[in-house]
Amino acid sequence: MKDWIDLNGQVQKHVDRGLDLSGMPSSKFAMFLYSSNYYRVSGYGRCLYENEADRYVVGTTAAQLMDIYDLDRAVRNLILDGVGVFEPTLRGRVAFHVAKVIGGGDAYLQEDLYLPTGPEPAAADVNARKRWHAEVRNRDKVLESFRAIQTRDEIFIRHHINKGDPVPFWAAIEVVSLGTFSRFLRALRDKSVLEPVTRSLQLEDEPKLLQAVQNITFLRNIAAHHGRLWNRRFDGHVTLPAIALRVKRRYLSPKTPAAALTLLAGLVDQIETSTLYSKNLLDLIHSDSAFVEGYYSPVL
């Protein structure tokens, strides 16, 4: 178990690992650690270490570390701005087209709207059985979230409940989390209802839409919880539609922050019929040669 360390001790740990304060008062760096959390800052610091060593590359300064931290925070803020365009747009369009099919009742609470189809596969068909169980789990999580809405206190939810009416889909979809919304799209048994939404975003097909929503949800969650994006390897693959390829600045590996940022930039540009968002976002991550590689070639 690690011991608690006071601020002076935290500063000294960075100095002992080779960080050069370079004239910066230790009190200023201590306040930075106090406000940013030693553990969070250490994630950035480790990206500036020598290969396979617990020490900073010679010449690394506290000012450089703080600048990178601040730039990454600025990127997160721009991500949230972009998600603020993409998410309500997508929810609104999905609500419009799904409600057109299922009506204003509570059909979204019925299991037969969702995957899986048919009974549980035989034990011998291992892959089909595994997929069936995954679809059941996903469906059940979606339904659990939708059912929980019926007890929510939002005025526009209580309006329907107090009248004895079902909460219509277009109201319900506004209060579930983005993660549940993404699950809902994947859970739908008939994906053809999403075709008009896919076309409206100029995406190639529904799988590209579902992948984009999943990728943006992951990106949004990191940004919303103030996580480190710089030099962070992604677990899943980012699939880029043509609208994102049009704004990319250089080669993109599918497991990098740069790929997810380019995807978001392309989607927001398409929705706003403007290139201003992609310019602002991509200009920022390209604003420092030492900064940009952490998005295109992450090390942690």
Side-chain angles (χ1 to χ4, degrees), residues 71 74-75 77-79 81-82 247 249 261 265 268-269 272 274-287 291:
L71 281 167
V75 170
N77 289 339
L78 274 178
I79 288 170
D81 286 346
V247 303
R249 299 281 178 92
L261 292 169
V268 173
D269 278 6
E272 296 194 321
S274 165
T275 59
L276 182 61
Y277 180 77
S278 64
K279 182 180 187 306
N280 289 340
L281 179 60
L282 299 180
D283 279 357
L284 179 59
I285 70 171
H286 283 264
S287 62
F291 184 58

Side-chain angles (χ1 to χ4, degrees), residues 233-254:
R233 290 177 182 154
F234 282 17
D235 292 332
H237 280 69
V238 177
T239 302
L240 294 177
I243 58 170
L245 293 175
R246 287 199 292 265
V247 303
K248 77 171 187 175
R249 299 281 178 92
R250 50 185 274 193
Y251 170 76
L252 293 165
S253 175

Side-chain angles (χ1 to χ4, degrees), residues 20-235:
D20 183 3
L21 295 184
S22 192
M24 177 183 294
S26 61
S27 59
K28 180 177 180 179
F29 190 60
M31 182 56 68
F32 168 67
L33 294 174
Y34 182 46
S35 301
S36 307
N37 189 326
Y38 176 86
Y39 178 78
R40 185 190 303 275
V41 173
S42 294
Y44 290 85
R46 289 191 175 277
C47 299
L48 302 173
Y49 281 7
E50 295 176 356
N51 289 334
E52 299 183 2
D54 203 24
R55 288 187 57 80
Y56 285 97
V57 171
V58 174
T60 303
T61 67
Q64 289 173 327
L65 176 57
M66 292 167 69
D67 285 346
I68 287 172
Y69 184 91
D70 287 342
L71 281 167
D72 201 38
R73 178 171 56 190
V75 170
R76 289 196 299 271
N77 289 339
L78 274 178
I79 288 170
L80 294 177
D81 286 346
V83 172
V85 173
F86 173 69
E87 181 183 349
T89 297
L90 186 62
R91 284 183 191 255
R93 295 179 187 182
V94 168
F96 179 86
H97 291 289
V98 171
K100 180 180 178 181
V101 172
I102 69 173
D106 57 3
Y108 61 91
L109 295 175
Q110 305 305 312
E111 288 189 358
D112 60 6
L113 185 66
Y114 305 103
L115 294 170
T117 57
E120 181 179 359
D125 195 341
V126 176
N127 289 334
R129 188 181 178 89
K130 182 178 179 181
R131 182 171 58 254
W132 189 89
H133 280 287
E135 289 172 347
V136 167
R137 288 193 299 272
N138 189 54
R139 177 201 67 198
D140 289 349
K141 287 179 180 179
V142 170
L143 288 173
E144 181 182 5
S145 295
F146 277 139
R147 287 167 183 150
I149 288 170
Q150 316 306 310
T151 61
R152 296 280 291 259
D153 290 330
E154 284 88 349
I155 292 175
F156 66 94
I157 297 294
R158 301 316 306 171
H159 167 75
H160 299 284
I161 298 297
N162 292 339
K163 289 172 58 179
D165 294 336
V167 178
F169 178 75
W170 57 80
I173 203 63
E174 286 297 319
V175 293
V176 296
S177 70
L178 182 57
T180 295
F181 178 67
S182 178
R183 284 183 179 276
F184 165 77
L185 298 179
R186 297 198 306 276
L188 281 171
R189 185 176 295 187
D190 181 6
K191 298 293 194 300
S192 67
V193 70
L194 300 177
E195 288 178 5
V197 180
T198 302
R199 290 196 304 271
S200 76
L201 294 170
Q202 296 181 5
L203 299 176
E204 288 82 347
D205 50 38
E206 283 65 61
K208 283 276 180 72
L209 172 66
L210 299 181
Q211 187 64 47
V213 176
Q214 194 167 1
N215 292 149
I216 298 304
T217 300
F218 181 71
L219 187 65
R220 176 263 175 205
N221 288 343
I222 295 173
H225 293 93
H226 317 291
R228 174 177 52 83
L229 279 161
W230 184 73
N231 262 315
R232 180 175 188 151
R233 290 177 182 154
F234 282 17
D235 292 332

